[in-house]
Amino acid sequence: MESVVSIQDLRKSFGAVEILKGIDLEVRTGQAVALIGASGSGKSTCLRCINRLEEPSSGRITVAGVEVTGAGVDLNRVRQNIGMVFQGIHLYPHLTALDNVALALRKVKRMARAEAHDLARKCLAQVGLSDRVNHHPAQLSGGQAQRVGIARALALRPQVMLFDEPTSALDPELVGEVLAVMRGMKDAGMTMIVVTHEMQFAREVADEVVFLDQGTVIDRGPPQDILERPRHKRIQDFLARLH
Ligand SMILES: Nc1ncnc2c1ncn2[C@@H]1O[C@H](COP(=O)(O)OP(=O)(O)OP(=O)(O)O)[C@@H](O)[C@H]1O
Ligand SMILES: [Mg+2]
């Protein structure tokens, strides 16, 4: 199967400090990769390089066949292929859930109002929010707001979804509903890269777990290998600290 995301020897420095020290990653159609590692290991930086929210220092990244790191690349077009969901996602407070999703479609896809509302409704249904379309963000729980953010990203029909700790700002009782939506997306064939501390989710949903340590991938493989029988001391310690 072809790679949706391909990363070769990605390096990123901030000033004199090299934060990503040569990352390689292939994510094929419909695969979910869980990116895990201690705080400061470079997970967010790596994700942000994929849509060039962060400028890679060197290396090559392609998404859906387009070289993101290529000279003269049309970043707006590239970013249309990449959905991004992070903790505490920003919704427009003065717009309803429906309008938050529809606005993205009208702006990015230049969709007419009726068509945008139609699709927005479908995407909100997909994340289980059919009964909240006319609510404003302040009237939504954290988990519901996060699901609106996911619906907004989904509506743009990206080739890959990037998640950066989408549940880490939520009260524990709201985490499950967001993970359930993400699981549904994976089952529907979405390609995704997920930075998460939810090891059970990684175990059950990820095809591959990639463990980052100080900007280097120190191990990767099926969840049962990396999470159940970790070979590396650093991964053993990391997992022990989570429990
Ligand atoms: N804009 C920046 N300028 C300087 N240093 C940065 C910048 N962004 C990130 N860093 C540094 O890069 C390292 C990796 O940060 P990053 O946010 O990618 O880690 P992370 O693995 O996502 O951590 P966490 O689990 O805490 O979110 C950290 O040491 C951080 O201080
Ligand atoms: Mg981070």
Side-chain angles (χ1 to χ4, degrees):
M1 231 187 284
E2 73 179 290
S3 287
V4 179
V5 177
S6 173
I7 302 179
Q8 287 146 25
D9 198 24
L10 172 63
R11 290 170 188 274
K12 171 66 181 175
S13 299
F14 290 109
V17 186
E18 192 170 54
I19 297 297
L20 297 179
K21 300 169 182 159
I23 307 289
D24 296 298
L25 187 68
E26 299 290 328
V27 190
R28 293 189 293 280
T29 307
Q31 263 199 328
V33 169
L35 193 55
I36 66 175
S39 180
S41 57
K43 306 178 297 293
S44 297
T45 304
C46 183
L47 274 197
R48 290 164 57 79
C49 281
I50 295 173
N51 56 9
R52 283 196 36 199
L53 284 176
E54 215 61 84
E55 203 55 44
S57 301
S58 68
R60 189 166 182 271
I61 302 174
T62 62
V63 174
V66 179
E67 189 181 345
V68 177
T69 43
V73 68
D74 179 350
L75 271 187
N76 284 330
R77 241 194 77 216
V78 163
R79 287 177 182 154
Q80 285 193 30
N81 279 332
I82 306 171
M84 178 115 184
V85 175
F86 38 88
Q87 67 178 64
I89 206 157
H90 176 81
L91 299 175
Y92 291 107
H94 60 290
L95 295 181
T96 63
L98 186 69
D99 284 327
N100 263 286
V101 178
L103 182 70
L105 288 166
R106 298 182 66 190
K107 279 207 162 150
V108 179
K109 299 277 186 191
R110 307 249 163 255
M111 253 183 210
R113 186 186 160 82
E115 197 190 351
H117 275 196
D118 241 32
L119 181 51
R121 236 176 255 286
K122 287 195 183 110
C123 292
L124 285 166
Q126 201 180 334
V127 300
L129 290 177
S130 288
D131 56 347
R132 292 288 184 281
V133 288
N134 293 320
H135 285 57
H136 284 77
Q139 302 167 311
L140 298 171
S141 73
Q144 289 167 346
Q146 200 65 346
R147 285 187 281 150
V148 174
I150 293 175
R152 184 172 61 183
L154 263 183
L156 299 173
R157 297 278 179 260
Q159 300 282 325
V160 59
M161 289 280 295
L162 310 179
F163 293 92
D164 194 352
E165 302 197 36
T167 60
S168 58
L170 298 177
D171 292 337
E173 70 271 23
L174 302 178
V175 169
E177 65 190 53
V178 173
L179 293 180
V181 164
M182 292 166 63
R183 189 184 303 252
M185 289 169 68
K186 159 72 175 161
D187 291 343
M190 179 57 79
T191 307
M192 41 213 255
I193 304 178
V194 184
V195 172
T196 185
H197 290 295
E198 299 289 339
M199 290 307 131
Q200 190 172 341
F201 178 80
R203 209 169 278 130
E204 290 168 7
V205 177
D207 298 286
E208 186 184 36
V209 172
V210 173
F211 191 92
L212 213 56
D213 183 56
Q214 297 180 26
T216 305
V217 174
I218 61 167
D219 206 3
R220 66 205 315 159
Q224 53 277 27
D225 292 352
I226 306 300
L227 302 177
E228 314 288 345
R229 295 182 293 277
R231 295 176 293 171
H232 284 261
K233 178 88 170 61
R234 295 196 76 100
I235 303 180
Q236 292 165 3
D237 291 348
F238 172 81
L239 293 172
R241 272 199 305 277
L242 286 182
H243 295 131

